Every structure is written in structure tokens, then in C-alpha cells.
Amino acid sequence: MKKIEVKNFKLYTTAVISIEWKGDLLNVNLDLAMMLKMMKLEGLTEGNIQYYSNAGQPIPFKKVTLLLFQDDDKPGQYYTDESFEEDDDPTVFYVEIKE
């Protein structure tokens, strides 16, 4: 297999991440800064993250609260992230970390 070394590149940190909440998987738009803040608030170390990654397990969060914004007229409908076009798939929800 051929290996290609990549240097001098730009990393885009906006990522579609899924969270499991109340038995549902929701796709949320979290950037790298938000994910690092979540890990800090949760008290997770690089070793903790590596453990979950090696085990192929999701990372549990008990201390962090994420905010989704629900439309008053449409219970169960959450605002989607405006940075994603309607034609994009899947639905991605806008999220903020509660301070």
C-alpha cells in the first residue's frame, strides 16, 4: 500500500458530531474549540480520550450541558445550523455549551 505524507495543510475544525440523548442520535455542529472546552469542563484527559477511542466507545459526558434551541410553535423541532445548506445531508443541529 502506498503512503502519502501530508505537510503544510490547513485543518477545518467544524465537524458533524453525533450525540446520543434520550435514545436518539442527534447530529450537532461542534468545532474543535467547543470539543476541547467540553473535555476540559468534563475533566477528561488525553489518556481518557485515547481509552475511549481505542475501545471504539462514545465519550460519556455528565458535567457538560449543551443547549439546543427549540421553536416555540413546533415542539420537538430544533433549530438547524445555518452554516449547512438545506441540500446537505444529514440534519445538523446548532449547539452551544451552557456556561
Side-chain angles (χ1 to χ4, degrees), residues 14-75:
T14 299
V16 177
I17 304 295
S18 296
I19 60 171
E20 183 179 350
W21 180 64
K22 293 187 175 183
D24 292 324
L25 280 178
L26 302 175
N27 296 313
V28 293
N29 186 10
L30 296 174
D31 63 21
L32 184 57
M34 291 174 75
M35 289 185 276
L36 289 172
K37 182 176 184 175
M38 289 169 54
M39 290 172 201
K40 182 179 178 180
L41 290 171
E42 193 67 27
L44 296 169
T45 66
E46 184 179 345
N48 298 136
I49 302 302
Q50 190 64 55
Y51 169 80
Y52 290 112
S53 181
N54 289 345
Q57 296 295 316
I59 302 166
F61 285 88
K62 305 276 186 202
K63 299 175 185 174
V64 174
T65 301
L66 298 179
L67 298 174
L68 294 175
F69 298 88
Q70 190 174 45
D71 189 329
D72 292 334
D73 298 329
K74 301 176 185 174

Side-chain angles (χ1 to χ4, degrees), residues 1-14:
M1 180 179 292
K2 187 177 185 181
K3 288 185 182 179
I4 300 171
E5 289 189 15
V6 178
K7 284 185 154 186
N8 199 17
F9 60 90
K10 293 180 182 178
L11 175 67
Y12 290 84
T13 62
T14 299

